[in-house]
Amino acid sequence: MADEPQKKSHLSALVGHTNGLTKPASLTATRSTGGGGGGGGATASSKKLVIKNFRERPKLPDNYTQDTWQKLHEAVGAIQSSISIKYNLEELYQAVENLCSHKVSATLYKQLRQVCEEHVKAQILQFREYPFVMHRNSLDSLLFLKKINKCWQDHCRQMIMIRSIFLFLDRTYVLQNSVLPSIWDMGLELFRNHIISDKQVQTKTIDGILLLIERERIGEAVDRSLLRSLLSMLSDLQVYKESFEQRFLEETNCLYAAEGQRLMQEREVPEYLHHVNKRLEEEADRVITYLDHSTQKPLIACVEKQLLGEHLSAILQKGLDSLLDENRISDLTQTYQLFSRVKGGQQILLQHWSEYIKNFGTTIVVNPEKDKDMVQELLDFKDKVDHIIEVCFQKNEKFINLMKESFETFINKRPNKPAELIAKYVDSKLRAGNKEATDEELERILDKIMIIFRFIHGKDVFEAFYKKDLAKRLLVGKSASVDAEKSMLSKLKHECGAAFTSKLEGMFKDMELSKDVMVQFKQYMQNQSDPGNIDLTVNILTMGYWPTYTPMEVHLNSEMIKLQEVFKTFYLGKHSGRKLQWQTTLGHAVLKGEFKEGKKEFQVSLFQTLVLLMFNEGDEFSFEEIKMATGVEDSELRRTLQSLACGKARVLIKNPKGKDVEDGDKFLFNGDFKHKLFRIKINQIQMKETVEEQVSTTERVFQDRQYQIDAAIVRIMKMRKTLGHNLLVSELYNQLKFPVKPGDLKKRIESLIDRDYMERDKDNPNQYHYVA
């Protein structure tokens, strides 16, 4: 046997196992080799040890293949029948290895496939015998699903056991043949071909799964582990998409299309959006729990489309305004989040957001009855939309920018008035006696006002009214804080440029220079032989910086006139060439009075001073006598007497009694006057703004605008020399900082042509030439 060449590699696999093969003899043998026919001439020293393979591989004993397959067949049958296997698993594994080593792998694979196929084919019978009448409320469907699931679970368990026995076959022969499926894949293929691909079985399985999902969607509890197992089976068998997913998405689409239509009619927007959110969370949970991950995107898209995408406009038209009106932050946040999920959702939300701001803002601005609270309402509204953008809309830049555009649109629907009211609002905050806010709060309020101010086109109207109010605060000493005044001035300068605030800064400069002048005047008066009893303080105002005041000639007493002349001599001595014009409407004084109760001091206007001083000469005067003596204009005098005789501090007694001052009324000195304070400020009614003042301020703004338009036209024409009408108008719009109508521009152009600053082209009337 030693002379038979054999392969050691094959023999080694058979050594030492009691599986029906006899143990071979020694693997190697020695034999002498020599030259020639018998090797007789060779000596002992020339002998070599040579190792050669066996000439033939050892043959398997007769019937070994058949007997071994019989054992394996029995083991497979036992696994499929769920009974114990008679043989040792290691012995069965080794038997497969032996068969594969002797080139019977192809036969073995074929026989195994046949056995498995026969078993799977036999399983279909139990499902065909099952009743295929499907009632929506019957338990047949659930029982069927449990049966198919058990069949699948058993099949998987059996194929794992079978593969473990035939592992050597799987890892050698099958692996080397790319066309053959692995034993596990073969099992899947058989189950797919003979059970799941059966039309009746597949239909009832998918119907049952869809019924369970439908029941879960209406709130019933279902066996999720059963669904997970069955859908995992469809994925493993690679029929999930074609057999289940398509139908599932179609049914989902129909369900949510109908649900969306129904609930949009039945529910309010917040409840509807809450329901949509709940549905999206449920479907996402289904993907995590039992659906295949690949279904997530089309499923969520389907829910979003049917519950949101189809109703975007309807949702916003039905409920956005009320959500914003009631400031429902959580609902608005949910609206933004849901609309952001849908294509075009944010865009349509932006449009409705803009419309809401414009409509709500317009109701604040255009109604004259709301003028008193307009600015505060605008500030509150701005705070509200800012908060919504920050909390609900995640500080989205698109919403911020559109909010600014919307504010600018509605606030300029009513020209000039918002600018005037903002100026007055600032005045109310900067006036002395405003105890509402600390310095930090006041600074915050001014910052907020500046934001509203940015939206206004007619900033020159604001400037005019602001300047008029600032003048009052400075001249009457009503300013709450110089720091706050300068802070506001700095904000305006930053916003509108130095040219905008130059006159306002000039007013502050005048006040500071006036203080220095008064220090010098006091020294000057001390050197006078007769300094007088009146302590005079004068503010020197540069005419170009301050608002225009109409001078009123009144009859001052001799001591006042003398002091005026003294100051005039003093001032013109230092500043020759200047002209002083006294503004009696802005004068005020502190008077000392003696009453039965004791002495009092009164802080009063110059007009009130002139009236009260008359009662040093007598106890009773008629309206006409007072008018003649003081020279105060009729309506102004009536308001002055009203403040002294009809207000809270009644220094005079009016006869007959009444709120209004009429011709013929008589006024007596009130010697019994009483007041808890020593210094009493009597309201200066003449300082309050009248309708005439408002109109005149507005008219001055319009006049200034005409001058600015004229100057801009001349400036442009001087530079260009020749220019067409449309180009000139376009250039003017770029340069002018206030709103202007084309018709107004045309009038100014005509006016300049009449005044020979420019002329029309003789051939083309729309062409202009500059006239040097």
Side-chain angles (χ1 to χ4, degrees), residues 176-190:
Q176 291 159 10
N177 287 269
S178 58
V179 293
L180 292 177
S182 68
I183 291 172
W184 175 257
D185 288 343
M186 175 193 75
L188 294 179
E189 185 184 304
L190 293 174

Side-chain angles (χ1 to χ4, degrees), residues 461-479:
V461 175
F462 171 89
E463 183 198 11
F465 281 94
Y466 184 81
K467 183 164 78 171
K468 186 165 64 64
D469 293 331
L470 174 62
K472 285 181 183 179
R473 292 198 299 276
L474 293 177
L475 295 174
V476 189
K478 275 191 172 185
S479 187

Side-chain angles (χ1 to χ4, degrees), residues 417-431:
K417 196 65 182 178
E420 175 192 332
L421 293 173
I422 290 170
K424 289 178 182 172
Y425 185 85
V426 175
D427 175 55
S428 72
K429 296 299 175 188
L430 292 177
R431 222 183 277 158

Side-chain angles (χ1 to χ4, degrees), residues 163-217:
R163 182 179 180 271
S164 68
I165 293 171
F166 289 86
L167 190 61
F168 192 84
L169 175 69
D170 208 28
R171 287 182 173 172
T172 54
Y173 173 70
V174 176
L175 201 61
Q176 291 159 10
N177 287 269
S178 58
V179 293
L180 292 177
S182 68
I183 291 172
W184 175 257
D185 288 343
M186 175 193 75
L188 294 179
E189 185 184 304
L190 293 174
F191 198 89
R192 180 171 63 243
N193 291 344
H194 298 294
I195 293 181
I196 285 301
S197 291
D198 182 273
K199 193 172 181 183
Q200 286 184 323
V201 173
Q202 188 180 110
T203 302
K204 185 149 192 186
T205 303
I206 303 304
D207 285 348
I209 291 171
L210 292 172
L211 182 60
L212 275 187
I213 294 172
E214 184 186 328
R215 283 179 176 170
E216 188 184 41
R217 280 174 170 163

Side-chain angles (χ1 to χ4, degrees), residues 405-423:
E405 288 174 21
S406 304
F407 259 81
E408 191 174 342
T409 302
F410 79 71
I411 212 166
N412 290 296
K413 280 190 176 177
R414 187 179 175 194
N416 307 321
K417 196 65 182 178
E420 175 192 332
L421 293 173
I422 290 170

Side-chain angles (χ1 to χ4, degrees), residues 490-545:
S490 170
K491 294 179 200 300
L492 289 170
K493 189 173 185 177
H494 181 264
E495 188 65 35
C496 305
F500 187 84
T501 56
S502 61
K503 290 182 180 178
L504 303 176
E505 288 170 337
M507 290 163 71
F508 279 97
K509 193 175 178 183
D510 279 351
M511 295 304 290
E512 287 166 11
L513 288 172
S514 295
K515 287 178 184 174
D516 297 338
V517 169
M518 289 321 296
V519 170
Q520 295 169 13
F521 180 64
K522 294 275 190 292
Q523 293 171 351
Y524 176 80
M525 287 300 289
Q526 286 171 3
N527 298 327
Q528 295 293 310
S529 57
D530 182 16
N533 298 323
I534 301 173
D535 185 8
L536 178 67
T537 302
V538 182
N539 289 316
I540 302 100
L541 316 181
T542 307
M543 199 170 263
Y545 295 156

